[in-house]
């Protein structure tokens, strides 16, 4: 099942975004503020790519575009050689079976136990006997260190545990494209290190293309193969971890150093502060 | 003035758009109902849940409505010296009218709101999106089983309501007031027609079941994914489904009378 029926060969990118522009529609239906304008990005099989950028810069939006949840106004999104937004509903669902997504806030099913959450994709998409499902689920849970919590309900586990369960669920079907939306948020240093290694080794073992959205610069530079920096709707810098560390680009330096001053905006677009407070002359 | 006219225009367009979406989602739910039947366990779990939720309130309400029917019915009938017909009156009122209607109203307030809130919270927690990303249709997996569970539960709950109500009428009329027990039951047996009365009552409760449950499911699925959005959707479920039940009751009763 792993490499089956894929039109892309090993050195072609598994994921390719080209000139993608996107704005969420406003409630009235017209396109709103431009979130992405002309984003190019590609990920090969077995490659682990980090996507970094300030809060609200559109990282989650890029993952939504890859999963076909939202449609770009311009540009193409190719996954495994197929244009995601030209697919019919059934074809999109077939493609999604080979994607795993860790949601930023976990999105566990609150009416199911931890075990059933991880078992969900297996029950929906395979005819495996109960014993095999049980073994697989316990293996995935063991990988995130939560085998012992399998009987708990989502309301009974902590936020960090919930994302680890969500991680186990995202990889339940051994996907070929794995998207992690801030997998390290809310993890203690020990779970963080273990999760980082898990993400690294999973991608290698499955030969999967992995995209990781993160703010943990140090941690992610240690595990990823390539980094994209997103700011103001564009990719402003990219490179291997060594190139990033050596980079003199202000964007990158500001991010790596975590300094408040620099080209990366902390503020959501706003009118002049003094004018807003009524202090303007 | 222009703004006023425009806001009316927007209101009408929104209402029509929402109605269109309602109809489309209804068809989609019916078309994607395969899973709800192929994996019957999903639907049965929901029936269990809805039953658990509504049973107590249905039984208690049925009992009190039966008590009141016994009292009021006796009061009116004895003026004409026909208190023998009390059993018939109680049974007909319940089976034809009060059973289906009151059950549907209680169901909307109890099970309907919880269905809306549950689906709304699943939406707010990105659970429905997560399901779609796992290539599972929330309409098939979440909406359809709840819908069919409601449609199946409603006639059962209405029958329960009527049965308990008749028992309540019996307690007040026969045990407490002293109406002749034989007459109470035999008039009921002779007077209630299986098709015209019971059958029509069942048809009503099935129609109400479809209306109330689908409104509940729709409002949850269409809610704004925020806490206020979910609470507003829950209120809308009660208001819309109560109005729908009363309006449908009038239409169905009129149809049934003109036909018979
Ligand atoms: N559903 C939505 N409807 C309208 N606008 C949205 C929606 N989701 C996000 N946005 C807007 O799109 C922009 C990018 O959001 P996105 O969630 O992609 O950011 P992000 O990079 O993931 O941020 P964070 O690091 O805080 O998660 C934000 O400015 C936000 O206001
Ligand atoms: Mg995000």
């Amino acid at each position: 099942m792993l490499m089956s029926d894929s039109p892309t060969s090993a050195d072609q990118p598994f994921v390719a975004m080209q000139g993608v522009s996107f704005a969420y529609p406003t409630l009235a239906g017209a396109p709103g503020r431009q979130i992405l304008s002309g984003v190019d990005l590609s990920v090969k099989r077995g490659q682990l790519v980090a996507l970094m950028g300030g809060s609200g810069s559109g990282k989650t939006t890029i993952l939504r575009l890859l999963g076909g949840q939202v449609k770009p106004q311009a540009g193409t999104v190719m996954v495994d050689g197929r244009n995601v937004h030209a697919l019919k509903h059934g074809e999109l669902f077939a493609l999604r079976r080979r994607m795993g997504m860790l949601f930023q806030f976990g999105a566990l099913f609150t009416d199911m136990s931890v075990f059933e959450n991880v078992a969900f994709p297996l029950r929906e998409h395979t005819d495996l006997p109960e014993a095999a499902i049980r073994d697989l689920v316990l293996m995935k849970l063991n990988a995130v260190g939560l085998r012992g919590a399998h009987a708990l309900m989502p309301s009974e586990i902590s936020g960090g545990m919930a994302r680890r369960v969500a991680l186990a669920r995202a990889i339940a079907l051994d996907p070929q494209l794995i998207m992690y939306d801030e997998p390290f948020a809310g993890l203690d240093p020990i779970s963080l290190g273990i999760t980082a290694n898990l993400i690294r080794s999973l991608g290698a073992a499955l030969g999967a293309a992995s995209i990781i959205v993160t703010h943990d610069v140090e941690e992610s530079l240690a595990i990823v193969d390539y980094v994209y920096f997103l700011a103001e709707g564009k990719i402003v810098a990219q490179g291997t971890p060594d190139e990033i560390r050596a980079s003199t680009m202000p964007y990158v330096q500001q991010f790596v150093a975590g300094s408040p001053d620099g080209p990366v905006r902390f503020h959501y677009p706003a009118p002049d502060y003094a004018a807003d407070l009524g202090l303007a002359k | 003035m222009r703004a006023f006219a425009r806001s009316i225009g927007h209101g009408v367009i929104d209402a029509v758009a929402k109605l269109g979406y309602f109809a489309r989602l209804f068809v989609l739910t019916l078309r994607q109902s395969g899973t709800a039947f192929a994996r019957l366990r999903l639907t049965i779990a929901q029936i269990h849940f809805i039953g658990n939720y509504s049973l107590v309130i249905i039984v208690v309400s049925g009992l009190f409505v039966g008590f009141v029917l016994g009292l009021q019915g006796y009061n009116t009938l004895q003026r004409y010296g026909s208190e023998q017909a009390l059993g018939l009156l109680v049974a007909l009122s319940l089976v034809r009218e009060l059973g289906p209607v009151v059950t549907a109203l209680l169901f909307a307030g109890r099970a309907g709101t919880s269905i809306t809130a549950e689906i709304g919270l699943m939406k707010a927690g990105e659970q429905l999106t997560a399901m779609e990303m796992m290539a599972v249709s929330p309409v098939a997996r979440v909406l359809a089983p709840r819908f069919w569970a409601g449609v199946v539960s409603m006639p059962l709950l209405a029958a329960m309501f009527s049965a308990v109500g008749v028992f309540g009428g019996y307690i007040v009329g026969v045990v407490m007031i002293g109406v002749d027990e034989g007459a109470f039951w035999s008039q009921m047996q002779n007077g209630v027609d299986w098709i015209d009365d019971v059958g029509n009552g069942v048809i009503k409760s099935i129609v109400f079941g479809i209306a109330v449950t689908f409104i509940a499911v729709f409002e949850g699925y269409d809610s704004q994914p925020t806490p206020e959005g979910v609470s507003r959707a829950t209120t809308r479920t009660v208001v819309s489904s109560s109005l729908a039940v009363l309006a449908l009751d009038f239409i169905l009763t009129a149809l049934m009378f003109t036909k018979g």
Side-chain angles (χ1 to χ4, degrees), chain A residues 64 67 69 93 96-97 101 103 107-112 120-121 124-125 169 179, chain B residues 32 39 118 122 125-137 141 146 224:
Chain A
R64 287 192 186 131
Q69 296 168 42
F93 265 33
R96 281 182 182 172
R97 287 188 197 193
M101 176 129 154
F103 280 75
L108 292 183
F109 301 128
T110 41
D111 59 340
M112 297 178 198
F120 183 87
E124 294 295 322
H125 294 309
R169 184 179 69 177
M179 295 173 273
Chain B
Q32 296 199 10
R39 290 163 63 188
E118 193 191 13
M122 287 181 86
E126 283 196 300
Q127 295 177 39
L128 300 185
T129 316
M131 213 175 259
E132 285 201 334
M133 275 307 295
M134 287 184 245
V136 175
S137 158
R141 185 61 174 67
R146 282 165 179 74
Q224 292 292 323

Side-chain angles (χ1 to χ4, degrees), chain A residues 24 33 35 54-61 64 104 182 215 268:
Chain A
Y24 284 99
R33 195 169 59 84
I35 307 294
S55 183
S57 58
K59 305 179 296 296
T60 300
T61 304
R64 287 192 186 131
Q104 190 166 2
E182 305 200 9
H215 299 298
Y268 189 88

Side-chain angles (χ1 to χ4, degrees), chain B residues 141-217:
Chain B
R141 185 61 174 67
V142 176
L143 269 55
R146 282 165 179 74
F147 171 69
W148 286 108
V151 174
V152 171
S153 304
M154 185 75 83
L156 299 178
L157 290 169
M160 196 101 61
F161 184 96
S162 296
V164 175
V166 166
F167 180 67
Y170 167 82
I171 292 187
V172 167
V174 176
V175 179
M176 288 164 67
I177 301 180
V179 173
D180 182 62
E181 179 165 3
F184 184 91
W185 293 118
S186 68
Q187 289 241 10
M188 191 188 303
Q189 261 185 355
N190 293 333
V192 178
D193 188 90
W194 274 107
I195 296 181
D196 272 350
D197 302 320
V198 179
N200 279 344
V202 171
I203 292 179
K204 275 188 181 177
S205 61
I206 292 176
V207 173
F208 297 164
I210 294 174
V212 172
T213 322
F214 191 72
I215 288 174
V217 161

